[in-house]
């Protein structure tokens, strides 16, 4: 995830809990940590960050053409500064396989866990 808004190919928005806590971040990080411990040979090269970046994809240039193209997102960020994209209740955890997509166009879900 590029921190330079003048050169992005995907524009992300930050995700946070309404109560301001880090509960979701800690939970997701612990899930990843468990997978790394269980299958280090498969996960170490895939996950080399301190924590998962919780985000929502706002724009992805890959879907505008067959190739990713960098764009300047500064104006978009300025105009949408403070914009509330709404709320969503997280009721389940989907484990997805990167690079494979389901019929719905999302990453292929290989397992789902209810959080209720």
């Amino acid at each position: 995830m590029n921190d330079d808004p003048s050169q992005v190919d995907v524009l992300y928005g930050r995700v946070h809990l309404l109560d301001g806590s880090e509960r979701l971040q800690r939970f997701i990080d612990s899930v990843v940590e468990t997978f790394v411990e269980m299958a280090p040979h498969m996960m170490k090269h895939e996950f080399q960050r301190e924590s998962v970046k919780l985000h929502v994809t706002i724009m992805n240039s890959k879907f505008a053409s067959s190739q990713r193209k960098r764009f300047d997102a500064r104006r978009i960020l300025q105009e949408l500064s403070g914009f509330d994209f709404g709320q969503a209740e997280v009721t389940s955890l989907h484990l997805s396989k990167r690079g494979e997509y389901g019929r719905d166009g999302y990453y292929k879900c290989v397992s789902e866990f209810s959080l209720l």
Side-chain angles (χ1 to χ4, degrees), residues 10-78:
V10 181
L11 181 59
Y12 299 99
R14 292 186 179 139
V15 173
H16 64 271
L17 295 182
L18 293 175
D19 66 7
S21 74
E22 296 291 320
R23 289 178 300 141
L24 182 59
Q25 183 70 61
R26 287 192 307 266
F27 172 70
I28 296 300
D29 288 343
S30 70
V31 169
V32 171
E33 190 175 306
T34 300
F35 275 99
V36 170
E37 289 172 2
M38 290 174 54
H41 61 286
M42 295 174 62
M43 297 292 293
K44 284 287 186 192
H45 69 282
E46 288 289 330
F47 190 79
Q48 295 186 3
R49 302 187 248 323
E50 288 182 27
S51 66
V52 173
K53 286 190 178 186
L54 299 178
H55 69 279
V56 58
T57 302
I58 297 170
M59 293 175 66
N60 187 335
S61 66
K62 179 174 74 173
F63 298 114
S65 68
S66 61
Q67 296 180 355
R68 289 187 187 271
K69 293 184 180 180
R70 294 200 181 275
F71 61 94
D72 186 342
R74 291 177 293 189
R75 183 172 174 204
I76 298 167
L77 291 170
Q78 182 179 12

Side-chain angles (χ1 to χ4, degrees), residues 82-97:
F83 184 80
D84 184 350
F85 285 94
Q87 301 175 22
E89 182 179 14
V90 179
T91 59
S92 63
L93 172 67
H94 290 222
L95 298 178
S96 302
K97 186 167 185 179

